[in-house]
Amino acid sequence: MRITDRDDGVCASREHLVFAYYVTGHGFGHATRVVEVVRHLIAAGHDVHVVTGAPDFVFTTEIQSPNLHIRKVLLDCGAVQADALTVDRLASLEKYHQTAVVPRDSILATEVAWLNSMKADLVVSDVVPVACRAAANAGIRSVCVTNFSWDFIYAEYVMAAGHHHRSIVWQIAEDYSHCEFLLRLPGYCPMPAFRDVIDVPLVVRRIHKSRSEVRKELGIGDTVKVVIFNFGGQPAGWKLKQGWLPDGWLCLVCGASDNQELPPNFIKLAKDVYTPDLIAASDCMLGKIGYGTVSEALAYRLPFVFVRRDYFNEEPFLRNMLEYYQGGVEMIRRDLLTGHWKPYLECALTLHPCYEGGINGGEVAARILQDTAVGKKYASDKLSGARRLRDAIVLGYQLQRAPGRDVGIPDWYSRAENEIGLRPILPSLEESGTASLVESCFEDFEILHGDLQGLSDTMAFLKSLSGLDCGTDPKSPEKRQLRERNAAAALFNWEEEIYVSRAPGRLDVMGGIADYSGSIVLQMPIREACHVAVQKNHPRKQKLWKHAQARQLAKGQGPIPALQIVSFGSELSNRAPTFDMDLSDLMDGDQPISYEKAHTYFAQDPSQKWAAYVAGTVLVLMTELGVRFTESICILVSSAVPEGKGVSSSASVEVASMSAIAAAHGLSISPRDLALLCQKVENHIVGAPCGVMDQMTSACGEANKLLAMICQPAEIKELVTIPTHIRFWGLDSGIRHSVGGTDYGSVRIGTFMGRKMIKSAASALLFQFPTSLNAPLQGDYMNSDECEEHGIEFLKAEASMNYLCNLSPHRYEAAYARKIPECITGQAFIKKYADHGDSVTVIDPKQSYSVKAPTKHPIYENFRVQVFKALLTAAKTDEQLSALGELMYQCHYSYNDCGLGSDGTDRLVNLVQEVQHRKLSHDGSSSLFGAKITGGGSGGSVCVIGKNCLRSSEEIFEIQQRYKAATGYLPIIFEGSSPGSGKFGYLKLRRRPSSPGSNSKNQVNIH
């Protein structure tokens, strides 16, 4: 239907309508569901022009009609996949830029002309962004039919890999804003770009043949177990082997290449095979999660063994829907590629999928599209396009957030989250009461060692731990993260001792990235912390998960020590909730494997890369302290330190993990030494080039004190008590921060390049220094004034300088500032200096590195921190607070000069300044005095300093609300402090024999 000045009448005939249906270029799943909608439109007598890059057979196999018109045009590229399971995020953005951004004007002109030429009554998109804009330009209404949108998918890619492509997300969201409404499919993601939503049932293709008919055609007996192998095209290099299937099983392989040889128990299917009929003939499916596979598995109640796909944010929502209806078993990628399929396939046969929703979404959607094409109004225009656009950008920032902080999540996200259920929130003490919680903890556990220290989060963790072996209703909304809880319940032997540690995150008050240059830093341990529970067991007593049992049996070995880890909150970051390995995999003969091999091992499956932070502590203890683990280790990780906020979530996990493992094995490690060991985990096994201040604060910090540490490499100077009239807050910008990111690493490289240049210049000056004051000077040698200015002692120290922060600001300005270039290419630097002297970063010869700003920052930051520390003990005046605040502002803008700023953190700092200046001009006083970006920069949180009074808290709340009004994102506020792991120590627990469930023998199969 055409958009006219007056839309109060019907402008199209219902008897015959023309639809233009655009299909995204990502995979076949979109095309297969479009088939079902198009089939119903054509059955109603309408013409449908499908704009697609998918093969014709996807449509013509199911629809043979002259009313179907296929136009082979690709207007977007979806996600570029490195293989069947891995998305290349940066390549996806770059290909979209070339496919849809560069030729955008030409695309719009072509599509508008085409739509007008064929006199389309309605444009339908699944879910091509530019189709909505082209329809608007042509004066035609448009509707989207989908379970996700590309602004949602690409927002995470932009944050993680392609910040310079931010405009792509804005443009996609703006295109979607021209859509009339969204027909939303089950398993949907939050899609704020759409003004109105109509929910429809599953859209699935119909089954044509019965189970017996299909099996007869394939020559398969009725009693043979059949698994359909469906990864959207068999990737090169996957060599399937006969022994991967249980005896008597057959595997139907979709998408195999023409020249691929298969074992006799694997059957190669034609490329145009009709999958729904195969589903009817199979006992389970093995594949990756996508809308097509999940919807058809649910609709026809086929158990689905799935392997995670990396960096595709549609997956968690579909996966949770699949598991909610008890239709899914997750297979670890390692087991997929090594052929340990048997336990997963056998487990799949025990499932009873129970999806009871409608499967006539194609019919429902077609009816709504017809109504819309003839003029029926569905849109309410209740939100402006600008608001929807803003929400679409915020969406990306919301993908990683803290547990238990959902109160501030925008409504559009909460609705989607409530559908699928994300993270369970631990009971709040305000609701249950401290006394009852403590009583509950002591009822269930006997504390043999340690002290709760009145920490409410530790009490809540113990209560969560005590309830693990209680039964759960799989479909109860109160029992979310069922797989995590089941895995954790099967983890421990409740008759044996459990060791619990706690390590907080940290707020970077001053110092930040200058830590790796040897600066003094001031760090505050925050209230949020990570808890880790560890138990060691003899291998024969260890309750192994079924796939781990199968792996050990395949090795032909008896019970051997294994490491099993469960991480609560895994769905928040789309990571696998469990990890396991044989401890022998960490050995190479009689020696531990190298850190390089370990890094490669953990990086091979991104959905399990998180395990490097935990399992890496085991390898470091083996390598650095010579520890050998002869018993199995079970680890439960539960962290309330939000990821990507710049408050050291990774350090808290590392420190808590190593502390608990050390306690369980009787290892006595000082907090300082433990922090240095944990830094090795992050630097060498995880591969993040961080300094040591994060781990030191988490291990050595104390509540309500600033840890003053000189990072050369980790010398605690003192614990500075925060004056009672001063308070620090953290405000989260919502922009994900990662010390493993390109910006952080590039700045670090630039800093070490600058150090090398200064050392080289000092060496050159020292070489020119005359051995005798009476010696004649020749050529370009220094004159006597230069000799006196630089001094031989200064030059000797600077030529052998280990830490850049040992150079004072005045020496830097006097002797070296003019010698440091603004930037240099890696190739030019290597040619002149050979190496930059940093063991945890590698120079890319093709990259250009900023040098001057990264070199200057730590030199001046070290001085700023020293002044800040001295001022903390000065007289309690507004001048004191103003000076402290000014030092923080200077630090913030120095980060920006290095290229480590972000729009969100700048906005928060500007809001602090606005509130501060407004109060000063109004009544001559202020409660807030300064703010700065924290940690590694490039997003994350800002630290704010102010008076410890009610008005300052009100101003922090005002800033929080103003930030939300401007961006749609409500910042997390970090306030309060708690002890580091060294001060906390550890708890040694034993379940009381009389407690309910202590003698439970429940057997839980976890995959």
Coordinates of all heavy atoms in Angstrom, one line a residue, residues 510-569:
M510 N 43.9 6.7 41.2 CA 45.0 7.4 40.4 C 46.0 6.4 40.0 O 46.3 5.4 40.8 CB 45.6 8.5 41.3 CG 44.8 9.8 41.5 SD 44.5 10.7 40.0 CE 46.1 11.5 39.7
G511 N 46.7 6.6 38.9 CA 47.8 5.7 38.5 C 47.5 5.1 37.2 O 48.2 5.2 36.2
G512 N 46.4 4.3 37.2 CA 45.9 3.6 35.9 C 47.0 3.0 35.1 O 47.8 2.2 35.6
I513 N 47.0 3.3 33.8 CA 47.9 2.6 32.9 C 49.4 2.9 33.1 O 50.3 2.3 32.5 CB 47.6 3.0 31.4 CG1 47.7 4.5 31.2 CG2 46.2 2.4 31.0 CD1 47.7 4.9 29.7
A514 N 49.7 3.9 34.0 CA 51.1 4.1 34.3 C 51.7 3.0 35.2 O 52.9 3.0 35.4 CB 51.2 5.5 35.1
D515 N 50.9 2.0 35.5 CA 51.4 0.9 36.4 C 52.5 0.2 35.7 O 53.6 -0.2 36.3 CB 50.3 0.0 36.9 CG 49.6 -0.8 35.8 OD1 49.7 -0.3 34.6 OD2 49.0 -1.8 36.1
Y516 N 52.4 -0.1 34.4 CA 53.4 -0.9 33.7 C 54.7 -0.1 33.4 O 55.7 -0.6 32.9 CB 52.9 -1.6 32.5 CG 52.2 -0.7 31.4 CD1 53.0 0.2 30.7 CD2 50.9 -0.8 31.2 CE1 52.3 1.0 29.7 CE2 50.2 0.0 30.3 CZ 51.0 0.9 29.5 OH 50.4 1.7 28.6
S517 N 54.6 1.2 33.7 CA 55.8 2.1 33.6 C 56.5 2.3 34.9 O 57.3 3.2 35.0 CB 55.4 3.4 32.9 OG 55.0 3.2 31.6
G518 N 56.0 1.7 36.0 CA 56.6 1.8 37.3 C 56.1 2.9 38.2 O 56.7 3.2 39.2
S519 N 54.9 3.4 37.9 CA 54.4 4.5 38.7 C 53.9 4.1 40.0 O 53.7 2.9 40.3 CB 53.2 5.1 37.9 OG 52.6 6.2 38.7
I520 N 53.8 5.0 40.9 CA 53.0 4.8 42.1 C 51.6 4.9 41.8 O 51.2 5.7 40.9 CB 53.4 5.8 43.2 CG1 52.6 5.5 44.5 CG2 53.2 7.3 42.8 CD1 53.0 6.4 45.7
V521 N 50.7 4.0 42.3 CA 49.3 4.0 42.0 C 48.5 4.0 43.3 O 49.0 3.6 44.4 CB 48.9 2.8 41.1 CG1 49.6 2.9 39.8 CG2 49.2 1.5 41.9
L522 N 47.3 4.5 43.2 CA 46.4 4.5 44.4 C 45.1 3.8 44.0 O 44.4 4.3 43.1 CB 46.1 6.0 44.8 CG 47.2 6.8 45.4 CD1 46.8 8.2 45.6 CD2 47.7 6.2 46.7
Q523 N 44.8 2.7 44.6 CA 43.7 1.8 44.2 C 42.8 1.5 45.4 O 43.3 1.2 46.5 CB 44.3 0.5 43.6 CG 45.3 0.7 42.5 CD 44.6 1.4 41.3 OE1 43.6 0.9 40.8 NE2 45.2 2.5 40.8
M524 N 41.5 1.4 45.2 CA 40.6 1.1 46.2 C 39.8 -0.2 45.9 O 39.2 -0.3 44.9 CB 39.6 2.2 46.4 CG 38.6 2.0 47.5 SD 37.4 3.4 47.7 CE 36.2 2.9 46.4
P525 N 39.9 -1.2 46.8 CA 39.1 -2.4 46.6 C 37.6 -2.1 46.7 O 37.3 -1.4 47.7 CB 39.6 -3.4 47.6 CG 40.2 -2.5 48.7 CD 40.7 -1.3 48.0
I526 N 36.8 -2.5 45.8 CA 35.4 -2.1 45.8 C 34.6 -3.2 46.5 O 35.1 -4.2 47.0 CB 34.9 -1.9 44.4 CG1 35.0 -3.2 43.5 CG2 35.5 -0.8 43.7 CD1 34.4 -3.1 42.2
R527 N 33.3 -2.9 46.7 CA 32.4 -3.8 47.4 C 32.1 -5.1 46.7 O 32.0 -6.2 47.2 CB 31.1 -3.1 47.7 CG 30.1 -3.9 48.5 CD 28.8 -3.0 48.8 NE 28.2 -2.6 47.5 CZ 27.2 -1.8 47.4 NH1 26.7 -1.2 48.5 NH2 26.7 -1.4 46.2
E528 N 32.0 -4.9 45.3 CA 31.7 -6.1 44.5 C 32.9 -7.1 44.5 O 34.1 -6.6 44.3 CB 31.4 -5.7 43.1 CG 30.0 -5.0 43.0 CD 30.0 -3.5 43.5 OE1 31.1 -3.0 43.7 OE2 29.0 -2.9 43.6
A529 N 32.7 -8.3 44.5 CA 33.8 -9.3 44.6 C 33.4 -10.6 43.9 O 32.3 -10.9 43.6 CB 34.1 -9.6 46.1
C530 N 34.4 -11.4 43.7 CA 34.3 -12.8 43.1 C 34.5 -13.8 44.2 O 35.4 -13.7 45.0 CB 35.3 -13.0 42.0 SG 35.4 -14.7 41.4
H531 N 33.6 -14.8 44.3 CA 33.7 -15.9 45.2 C 34.1 -17.1 44.4 O 33.5 -17.4 43.4 CB 32.5 -16.1 46.0 CG 32.2 -15.1 47.1 ND1 31.6 -13.9 46.8 CD2 32.5 -15.1 48.4 CE1 31.5 -13.2 47.9 NE2 32.0 -13.9 48.9
V532 N 35.0 -17.9 45.0 CA 35.4 -19.2 44.3 C 35.3 -20.3 45.4 O 35.9 -20.1 46.5 CB 36.8 -19.1 43.7 CG1 37.2 -20.5 43.3 CG2 36.8 -18.1 42.5
A533 N 34.7 -21.4 45.1 CA 34.6 -22.5 45.9 C 35.4 -23.7 45.3 O 35.2 -23.9 44.1 CB 33.2 -23.0 46.2
V534 N 36.3 -24.3 46.0 CA 37.2 -25.3 45.5 C 37.1 -26.6 46.3 O 37.1 -26.5 47.6 CB 38.7 -24.8 45.4 CG1 39.6 -26.0 45.1 CG2 38.8 -23.8 44.3
Q535 N 37.1 -27.7 45.7 CA 37.2 -29.0 46.4 C 38.2 -29.9 45.6 O 38.2 -29.9 44.4 CB 35.8 -29.6 46.5 CG 35.8 -30.9 47.3 CD 34.4 -31.5 47.4 OE1 34.0 -32.1 46.4 NE2 33.7 -31.3 48.5
K536 N 39.0 -30.6 46.4 CA 39.9 -31.6 45.7 C 39.4 -33.0 46.1 O 38.9 -33.2 47.2 CB 41.3 -31.4 46.1 CG 41.6 -31.5 47.6 CD 43.1 -31.4 47.9 CE 43.3 -31.6 49.5 NZ 44.8 -31.6 49.8
N537 N 39.5 -33.9 45.2 CA 39.0 -35.3 45.4 C 39.9 -36.3 44.7 O 40.5 -36.0 43.7 CB 37.6 -35.5 44.8 CG 36.5 -34.8 45.6 OD1 36.3 -35.2 46.8 ND2 35.8 -33.9 45.1
H538 N 40.0 -37.5 45.3 CA 40.7 -38.5 44.7 C 40.0 -38.8 43.3 O 38.7 -38.8 43.3 CB 40.7 -39.8 45.5 CG 41.6 -40.9 45.0 ND1 41.2 -41.7 44.0 CD2 42.9 -41.2 45.3 CE1 42.2 -42.6 43.7 NE2 43.2 -42.3 44.5
P539 N 40.7 -39.1 42.3 CA 40.1 -39.3 41.0 C 39.0 -40.4 41.0 O 38.0 -40.3 40.3 CB 41.2 -39.7 40.1 CG 42.4 -39.1 40.7 CD 42.2 -39.1 42.1
R540 N 39.1 -41.4 41.9 CA 38.1 -42.4 41.9 C 36.8 -41.9 42.6 O 35.7 -42.5 42.4 CB 38.6 -43.6 42.7 CG 39.8 -44.3 41.9 CD 40.1 -45.7 42.5 NE 41.2 -46.3 41.8 CZ 41.1 -47.0 40.7 NH1 39.9 -47.2 40.2 NH2 42.2 -47.5 40.1
K541 N 36.9 -40.9 43.4 CA 35.7 -40.3 44.1 C 35.1 -39.2 43.3 O 34.0 -38.7 43.7 CB 36.1 -39.9 45.5 CG 36.5 -41.0 46.4 CD 36.7 -40.5 47.8 CE 37.1 -41.6 48.8 NZ 37.3 -41.0 50.2
Q542 N 35.8 -38.7 42.3 CA 35.4 -37.5 41.6 C 34.1 -37.8 40.7 O 34.1 -38.8 40.0 CB 36.5 -37.0 40.7 CG 36.1 -35.8 39.8 CD 35.8 -34.6 40.6 OE1 36.3 -34.4 41.7 NE2 34.9 -33.7 40.1
K543 N 33.1 -37.0 40.8 CA 31.9 -37.1 40.0 C 32.1 -36.4 38.7 O 32.0 -35.2 38.6 CB 30.7 -36.6 40.7 CG 30.3 -37.3 42.0 CD 29.0 -36.8 42.6 CE 29.1 -35.4 43.1 NZ 27.9 -34.9 43.8
L544 N 32.6 -37.2 37.7 CA 32.8 -36.6 36.4 C 31.6 -36.5 35.6 O 30.6 -37.3 35.7 CB 33.8 -37.5 35.6 CG 35.3 -37.6 36.1 CD1 36.0 -38.5 35.2 CD2 35.9 -36.2 36.0
W545 N 31.5 -35.4 34.8 CA 30.4 -35.3 33.8 C 30.6 -36.3 32.7 O 31.7 -36.8 32.5 CB 30.5 -33.9 33.2 CG 30.3 -32.8 34.2 CD1 29.4 -32.8 35.3 CD2 31.0 -31.5 34.3 NE1 29.5 -31.7 36.0 CE2 30.4 -30.8 35.4 CE3 31.9 -30.9 33.5 CZ2 30.9 -29.6 35.8 CZ3 32.4 -29.6 33.9 CH2 31.9 -29.0 35.0
K546 N 29.5 -36.7 32.1 CA 29.5 -37.9 31.2 C 30.5 -37.7 30.1 O 31.2 -38.7 29.7 CB 28.1 -38.2 30.7 CG 27.2 -39.0 31.6 CD 26.0 -39.5 30.9 CE 25.3 -40.6 31.8 NZ 24.2 -41.2 31.1
H547 N 30.6 -36.6 29.5 CA 31.5 -36.4 28.4 C 32.9 -36.5 28.8 O 33.8 -37.0 28.1 CB 31.2 -35.1 27.6 CG 31.5 -33.9 28.4 ND1 30.6 -33.2 29.2 CD2 32.7 -33.2 28.6 CE1 31.1 -32.2 29.8 NE2 32.4 -32.1 29.4
A548 N 33.2 -36.1 30.1 CA 34.6 -36.2 30.6 C 34.9 -37.7 30.9 O 36.0 -38.2 30.6 CB 34.7 -35.4 31.9
Q549 N 33.9 -38.5 31.4 CA 34.1 -39.9 31.5 C 34.4 -40.6 30.2 O 35.3 -41.4 30.1 CB 32.8 -40.5 32.1 CG 32.5 -40.1 33.6 CD 31.2 -40.7 34.0 OE1 30.5 -41.4 33.3 NE2 30.8 -40.4 35.3
A550 N 33.6 -40.2 29.2 CA 33.9 -40.8 27.9 C 35.3 -40.4 27.3 O 35.9 -41.3 26.7 CB 32.8 -40.3 26.9
R551 N 35.7 -39.2 27.6 CA 37.0 -38.8 27.1 C 38.1 -39.6 27.8 O 39.1 -40.1 27.1 CB 37.2 -37.3 27.4 CG 38.6 -36.8 26.9 CD 38.7 -35.3 27.1 NE 38.8 -35.0 28.6 CZ 37.9 -34.3 29.2 NH1 36.9 -33.7 28.6 NH2 38.0 -34.1 30.5
Q552 N 38.0 -39.9 29.1 CA 39.0 -40.7 29.8 C 39.0 -42.1 29.3 O 40.0 -42.8 29.2 CB 38.8 -40.5 31.3 CG 39.2 -39.2 31.8 CD 39.3 -39.1 33.3 OE1 39.2 -40.2 34.0 NE2 39.6 -38.0 33.9
L553 N 37.8 -42.6 29.1 CA 37.7 -44.0 28.6 C 38.3 -44.2 27.2 O 38.9 -45.2 26.9 CB 36.2 -44.5 28.6 CG 35.5 -44.7 29.9 CD1 34.0 -45.0 29.8 CD2 36.2 -45.9 30.6
A554 N 38.1 -43.1 26.4 CA 38.7 -43.2 25.1 C 40.2 -43.2 25.1 O 40.8 -43.7 24.2 CB 38.2 -42.0 24.2
K555 N 40.8 -42.6 26.1 CA 42.2 -42.6 26.3 C 42.7 -44.0 26.8 O 43.9 -44.2 26.9 CB 42.7 -41.5 27.2 CG 42.5 -40.1 26.7 CD 42.9 -39.1 27.7 CE 42.8 -37.6 27.2 NZ 43.3 -36.6 28.1
G556 N 41.8 -44.9 27.2 CA 42.2 -46.2 27.7 C 42.8 -46.1 29.0 O 43.6 -46.9 29.4
Q557 N 42.5 -45.1 29.8 CA 43.0 -44.9 31.1 C 41.9 -45.1 32.2 O 40.8 -44.9 32.0 CB 43.6 -43.5 31.3 CG 44.8 -43.2 30.3 CD 45.2 -41.8 30.3 OE1 44.4 -40.9 30.6 NE2 46.4 -41.5 29.9
G558 N 42.4 -45.4 33.4 CA 41.5 -45.4 34.5 C 41.2 -44.0 35.0 O 41.6 -43.1 34.3
P559 N 40.6 -43.8 36.1 CA 40.3 -42.5 36.6 C 41.6 -41.7 36.8 O 42.5 -42.2 37.4 CB 39.6 -42.7 37.9 CG 39.0 -44.1 37.8 CD 40.0 -44.9 37.0
I560 N 41.7 -40.6 36.2 CA 42.9 -39.7 36.3 C 42.4 -38.3 36.8 O 41.3 -38.0 36.6 CB 43.7 -39.6 35.0 CG1 42.7 -39.0 33.9 CG2 44.2 -40.9 34.5 CD1 43.5 -38.8 32.5
P561 N 43.3 -37.6 37.4 CA 42.9 -36.2 37.9 C 42.4 -35.3 36.8 O 42.9 -35.2 35.7 CB 44.2 -35.7 38.5 CG 45.1 -36.9 38.8 CD 44.7 -37.9 37.7
A562 N 41.3 -34.7 37.1 CA 40.6 -33.9 36.1 C 40.3 -32.5 36.8 O 40.2 -32.4 38.0 CB 39.3 -34.5 35.6
L563 N 40.1 -31.5 36.0 CA 39.7 -30.2 36.4 C 38.4 -29.9 35.9 O 38.2 -29.9 34.7 CB 40.8 -29.1 36.0 CG 40.4 -27.7 36.2 CD1 40.4 -27.4 37.7 CD2 41.4 -26.8 35.5
Q564 N 37.4 -29.6 36.8 CA 36.0 -29.2 36.3 C 35.7 -27.9 36.9 O 35.8 -27.7 38.1 CB 35.0 -30.3 36.8 CG 35.3 -31.7 36.1 CD 34.2 -32.6 36.4 OE1 33.6 -33.3 35.5 NE2 33.9 -32.8 37.7
I565 N 35.2 -27.0 36.1 CA 34.9 -25.6 36.5 C 33.5 -25.3 36.1 O 33.1 -25.6 34.9 CB 35.9 -24.6 35.8 CG1 37.3 -25.0 36.1 CG2 35.6 -23.2 36.4 CD1 38.3 -24.2 35.3
V566 N 32.7 -24.6 36.9 CA 31.4 -24.1 36.6 C 31.5 -22.6 36.9 O 32.0 -22.2 37.9 CB 30.3 -24.7 37.5 CG1 29.0 -24.0 37.1 CG2 30.2 -26.2 37.2
S567 N 31.0 -21.8 36.0 CA 31.0 -20.3 36.1 C 29.5 -19.9 36.1 O 28.8 -20.0 35.1 CB 31.7 -19.7 35.0 OG 31.6 -18.3 35.0
F568 N 29.1 -19.3 37.2 CA 27.8 -18.7 37.3 C 27.7 -17.4 36.4 O 28.7 -16.7 36.4 CB 27.4 -18.4 38.7 CG 26.8 -19.5 39.5 CD1 26.6 -19.4 40.9 CD2 26.5 -20.7 38.9 CE1 26.1 -20.5 41.6 CE2 26.0 -21.8 39.6 CZ 25.8 -21.7 41.0
G569 N 26.6 -17.2 35.8 CA 26.4 -16.0 35.0 C 27.0 -16.1 33.6 O 27.2 -15.1 33.0

